[in-house]
Amino acid sequence: AQSVTQLDSHVSVSEGTPVLLRCNYSSSYSPSLFWYVQHPNKGLQLLLKYTSAATLVKGINGFEAEFKKSETSFHLTKPSAHMSDAAEYFCVVTLYSSASKIIFGSGTRLSIRP
Amino acid sequence: NAGVTQTPKFRVLKTGQSMTLLCAQDMNHEYMYWYRQDPGMGLRLIHYSVGEGTTAKGEVPDGYNVSRLKKQNFLLGLESAAPSQTSVYFCASSYSQGTYGYTFGSGTRLTVV
């Protein structure tokens, strides 16, 4: 069975400091993994994706994530937080062979302190 | 570059009323999805479609129906709205089975009183 766990429901960092949003997944098959960002009252925007190519994936707005199969993790990082990064972030895992096997994490709310 | 457009953006229904949410995409995507988003629960798949004329049930299909008569449109219907259907609804589309990601609409906030 597939599942995805976002380990923190809320993360607060100061502007200019690093960001770490944690995601662990469980999948019987090689998954595709994604991070999406949702700003208040907006739809979800794709930040980055892992689809069995390079394990270190670079996304938009300076975000990146590393796929670690041994740890079943896909944590999202950014070296220096900006006020505009304040949003909800979702980790998503999909099973390639099935359109219905798309599992969203419960989300992590990122707050940025001035 | 519209992407995925959802209408309406907001709606208030009385219990027992019916309504249809419209999702339109202009990217020629085969796959389309309807999700609902509730606090602390992430997004849950209601129904999806793998092509024109096809529909399938997702994780939480009860109380909803869908139709995909045209490739670019995916309609979500509530025949008899219930307060438990108060939620934010998102439509999404994808080129394939989601390997390359999904494009989401901006959402419909539905309140059932």
Side-chain angles (χ1 to χ4, degrees):
Chain A
Q2 286 192 158
S3 66
V4 58
T5 302
Q6 291 185 240
L7 298 164
D8 306 293
S9 60
H10 182 215
V11 170
S12 180
V13 302
S14 296
E15 188 176 20
T17 64
V19 175
L20 170 63
L21 305 183
R22 299 182 293 167
C23 173
N24 285 101
Y25 71 93
S26 172
S27 177
S28 302
Y29 303 91
S30 295
S32 293
L33 295 160
F34 306 84
W35 276 99
Y36 283 84
V37 60
Q38 183 182 28
H39 288 93
N41 300 312
K42 299 289 187 183
L44 279 76
Q45 180 185 15
L46 180 66
L47 269 181
L48 50 78
K49 59 181 181 284
Y50 166 78
T51 55
S52 74
T55 56
L56 182 61
V57 181
K58 294 187 183 298
I60 62 173
N61 300 333
F63 284 95
E64 62 181 39
E66 185 171 8
F67 173 69
K68 292 187 176 180
K69 187 174 182 179
S70 61
E71 299 176 11
T72 61
S73 69
F74 190 57
H75 300 335
L76 181 70
T77 60
K78 183 173 180 177
S80 177
H82 190 274
M83 294 301 292
S84 61
D85 294 329
E88 188 93 15
Y89 291 80
F90 293 95
C91 182
V92 179
V93 59
T94 70
L95 182 60
Y96 176 73
S97 63
S98 172
S100 67
K101 298 298 183 185
I102 308 162
I103 310 297
F104 283 77
S106 56
T108 298
R109 181 165 61 90
L110 176 63
S111 298
I112 312 297
R113 302 187 299 271
Chain B
N1 56 342
V4 176
T5 303
Q6 290 182 234
T7 53
K9 295 189 182 304
F10 304 94
R11 185 73 185 268
V12 178
L13 285 180
K14 294 182 179 179
T15 299
Q17 286 186 318
S18 64
M19 78 163 293
T20 300
L21 282 66
L22 171 64
C23 176
Q25 54 96 3
D26 61 359
M27 297 168 287
N28 202 36
H29 284 172
E30 289 291 337
Y31 293 76
M32 297 188 74
Y33 315 82
W34 275 107
Y35 290 91
R36 61 177 290 172
Q37 183 179 34
D38 302 292
M41 300 187 75
L43 276 74
R44 293 181 292 169
L45 182 64
I46 305 171
H47 286 280
Y48 65 99
S49 169
V50 301
E52 181 178 313
T54 75
T55 62
K57 294 180 180 180
E59 181 185 358
V60 289
D62 293 342
Y64 305 95
N65 56 75
V66 288
S67 64
R68 183 101 180 265
L69 299 180
K70 294 183 178 180
K71 186 177 183 179
Q72 63 267 35
N73 296 336
F74 195 31
L75 279 63
L76 177 70
L78 286 73
E79 290 186 349
S80 179
S84 60
Q85 294 178 304
T86 294
S87 187
V88 180
Y89 292 84
F90 286 98
C91 177
S93 70
S94 64
Y95 173 69
S96 62
Q97 290 173 7
T99 307
Y100 302 103
Y102 311 87
T103 301
F104 283 84
S106 57
T108 296
R109 187 174 295 275
L110 175 66
T111 302
V112 182
V113 297

